[in-house]
């Protein structure tokens, strides 16, 4: 939590750079506490994704799967797994990650049918990312807008912020700096409302407009 709140230099991504957390993780592994290890890897994935370290996020997601345990957050793990996998093609150009994301999307689709208020916007954002990767720009824009609206309606401030950031990155890749700036501004305001000052500072330093 402190890695999202405080604005004091580069974040110590949970596990991997934070020695205290790494020590706790090692003890969990030594004691065969798969649930605790899986929880650490999940939160590490979330933090790494939020800060744009997608390779690290994917690594944490894969390590969590290797534990054989999962954490019962009903859509959250699949959401961040899917986002992390779908961020990789933009970074590496390798579309194999879409296959990795398909299971997550299928699971989110299931959860969205059971509880749309929790997962509707998650599914829409993952669909927007897929459309972005496959070059279906018009459909991607529609899905981003729907994801943002659904997250706002269901009061998921941080996920509304993430959806705005992903939309901003989409418009930036497509040369629309005006719409990118709008969505980056929305993302900053929402992350600040969520209380993530360090993430706001990170956005301000990394925006290429």
């Amino acid at each position: 939590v402190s890695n999202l709140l405080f604005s004091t230099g580069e974040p110590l991504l949970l596990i991997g750079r934070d020695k205290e957390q790494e020590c706790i993780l090692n003890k969990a592994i030594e004691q065969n506490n798969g649930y605790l290890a899986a929880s650490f890897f999940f939160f590490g994935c979330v933090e790494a994704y939020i800060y744009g370290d997608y390779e690290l996020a994917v690594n944490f997601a894969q390590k969590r799967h290797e534990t054989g345990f999962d954490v019962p957050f009903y859509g959250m793990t699949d959401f961040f797994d899917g986002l992390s996998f779908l961020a990789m093609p933009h970074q590496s150009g390798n579309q194999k990650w879409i296959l990795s994301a398909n299971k997550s999307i299928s699971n989110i689709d299931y959860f969205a049918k059971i509880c749309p208020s929790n997962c509707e916007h998650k599914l829409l954002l993952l669909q927007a990312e897929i459309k972005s990767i496959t070059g279906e720009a018009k459909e991607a824009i529609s899905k981003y807008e729907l994801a943002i609206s659904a997250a706002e309606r269901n009061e998921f401030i941080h996920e509304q912020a993430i959806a705005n950031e992903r939309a901003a990155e989409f418009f930036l890749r497509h040369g629309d700096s005006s719409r990118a700036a709008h969505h980056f501004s929305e993302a900053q305001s929402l992350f600040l409302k969520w209380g993530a000052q360090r993430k706001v500072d990170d956005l301000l330093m990394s925006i290429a407009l």
Side-chain angles (χ1 to χ4, degrees), residues 8 19 29 39 50 87 120 141 155 161-162 190:
T8 53
K19 295 301 181 183
I29 293 171
S39 298
I50 286 176
E120 175 190 14
I141 292 169
E155 300 182 341
I162 290 169
L190 289 161

Side-chain angles (χ1 to χ4, degrees), residues 6-202:
F6 303 122
S7 180
T8 53
E10 185 180 7
L12 293 170
L13 290 172
L14 184 66
I15 319 165
R17 296 183 189 174
D18 189 316
K19 295 301 181 183
E20 182 179 354
Q21 300 287 357
E22 190 174 3
C23 181
I24 296 172
L25 172 63
N26 288 336
K27 285 184 179 179
I29 293 171
E30 288 171 7
Q31 296 169 5
N32 202 30
N33 189 336
Y35 178 79
L36 179 58
S39 298
F40 267 84
F41 287 133
F42 168 65
F43 288 113
C45 174
V46 172
E47 186 182 340
Y49 178 82
I50 286 176
Y51 281 111
D53 194 335
Y54 303 127
E55 288 187 16
L56 184 59
V58 165
N59 185 40
F60 284 150
Q62 291 172 330
K63 284 182 179 295
R64 193 187 80 252
H65 288 293
E66 288 170 7
T67 67
F69 289 81
D70 217 332
V71 284
F73 294 140
Y74 305 106
M76 285 289 289
T77 51
D78 289 300
F79 180 52
F80 280 98
D81 282 1
L83 286 175
S84 300
F85 292 139
L86 293 174
M88 290 302 291
H90 296 303
Q91 185 167 296
S92 67
N94 192 334
Q95 296 202 7
K96 71 173 185 179
W97 297 104
I98 295 176
L99 297 176
S100 301
N102 280 340
K103 182 179 179 182
S104 297
I105 294 172
S106 177
N107 290 341
I108 290 289
D109 185 42
Y110 169 77
F111 286 123
K113 288 181 174 67
I114 296 173
C115 189
S117 62
N118 281 346
C119 292
E120 175 190 14
H121 60 281
K122 293 179 174 68
L123 178 61
L124 287 165
L125 182 54
L126 290 171
Q127 290 172 339
E129 291 286 85
I130 285 281
K131 297 296 184 183
S132 172
I133 292 166
T134 56
E136 300 170 80
K138 186 176 180 179
E139 292 82 358
I141 292 169
S142 175
K143 293 289 187 180
Y144 283 124
E145 290 174 349
L146 289 169
I148 291 165
S149 295
E152 180 179 19
R153 182 171 63 251
N154 297 322
E155 300 182 341
F156 281 82
I157 295 173
H158 64 299
E159 292 174 6
Q160 185 186 353
I162 290 169
N164 269 283
E165 185 179 5
R166 299 316 302 165
E169 294 285 357
F170 169 84
F171 285 118
L172 197 59
R173 287 193 300 272
H174 286 77
D176 192 337
S177 59
S178 177
R179 293 173 82 174
H182 166 73
H183 284 289
F184 273 129
S185 178
E186 287 292 303
Q188 290 167 24
S189 296
L190 289 161
F191 277 123
L192 190 60
K193 186 177 180 180
W194 188 41
Q197 179 64 57
R198 176 176 272 170
K199 171 59 181 178
V200 174
D201 294 343
D202 182 72

